[in-house]
Amino acid sequence: MTEPPVSPVDRAFDVLRVTAAGTGLTLSEISREAGLAKSTTLRLLTALERNDAVTRIGQRYRLGPLVHELDPIPASPAYERTRRVLTPFLAHLFEATRATVHLATLHGDEVVYLNKLHGPRPIPSPSRIGGGLPAYCTGVGKAMLAFDDAAAERVSQGPLIAWTDTTLTSPDALAVELAEIRRRRRSVDRAELTPGLYCVAAPVFDDDEDGACGTRAVAALSASAADSAALTRLEPLVTRVAAAASRAMATDRT
């Protein structure tokens, strides 16, 4: 029996499979892995992006919101508790900064956004509630990796994709950055995932008020800005709210 001809839908699924296998691939990489011409691959990626099946960040593509909606991150009592306890602090951070603010936790090697608040003029950002992004190039991700040795080691051994010119792609450079975050109790995203998107983040702990050295962070709070100069103003606000959030997590046992 003659095989049916390959359809555009078949090719679109080929592109999705290739995209799913990587942590962020360029058009050339996807074209090569899928065995398709660049023009065909671009046309398919454009259609998939239009339907939220893939997301483009700079020159790289990864799976988009539609895929996360079809296969959502499993519900977790721990996630629900974190969201319940910390959302009021996220709201307070928003009121204090009027910036786009995030509440996130770690899920494997990625951050999962548990909540997000933004004003009437939000900064374009790939983050979405329930969605995931690489931990090593986000403020919230680095804030948590600095206090999770096992996750940091795992991430440093994987591919560190250069999403922008400022992304940390060296395990040694990442280790130095995480050590500095442990010292200062806050992290900075210097447009490392998305050009023109900066943020400052701080870890949230669950077992003592101060987040003693070696304590594992269970979440992180962040505030975003469109330029690095704004981070100086945001830094003390984010760290202060995160410290109060840690005290709330430590005392909540419901």
Side-chain angles (χ1 to χ4, degrees), residues 200-254:
V200 59
V204 177
F205 304 94
D206 191 18
D207 55 359
D208 62 54
E209 293 187 359
D210 300 319
C213 185
T215 298
R216 180 173 173 269
V218 295
L221 295 167
S222 73
S224 302
D227 63 87
S228 59
L231 298 182
T232 301
R233 177 182 68 86
L234 295 174
E235 252 184 57
L237 298 170
V238 173
T239 53
R240 186 165 64 244
V241 173
S246 294
R247 291 191 288 271
M249 287 293 289
T251 55
D252 179 89
R253 294 295 171 228
T254 58

Side-chain angles (χ1 to χ4, degrees), residues 119-153:
R121 294 182 179 177
I123 303 169
S125 167
S127 62
R128 55 179 293 277
I129 297 173
L133 289 172
Y136 70 92
C137 53
T138 57
V140 286
K142 291 190 294 181
M144 290 182 282
L145 288 178
F147 296 91
D148 189 331
D149 292 341
E153 177 67 19

Side-chain angles (χ1 to χ4, degrees), residues 19-37:
T19 305
T23 54
L25 301 175
T26 64
L27 170 62
S28 295
E29 290 168 337
I30 296 172
S31 172
R32 183 174 62 252
E33 292 298 321
L36 298 171

Side-chain angles (χ1 to χ4, degrees), residues 57 62 109-113 125-128 131-135 138 193:
I57 305 174
R62 57 183 283 124
D109 297 344
E110 293 198 326
V111 295
V112 176
Y113 292 92
S125 167
S127 62
R128 55 179 293 277
L133 289 172
T138 57
L193 179 66

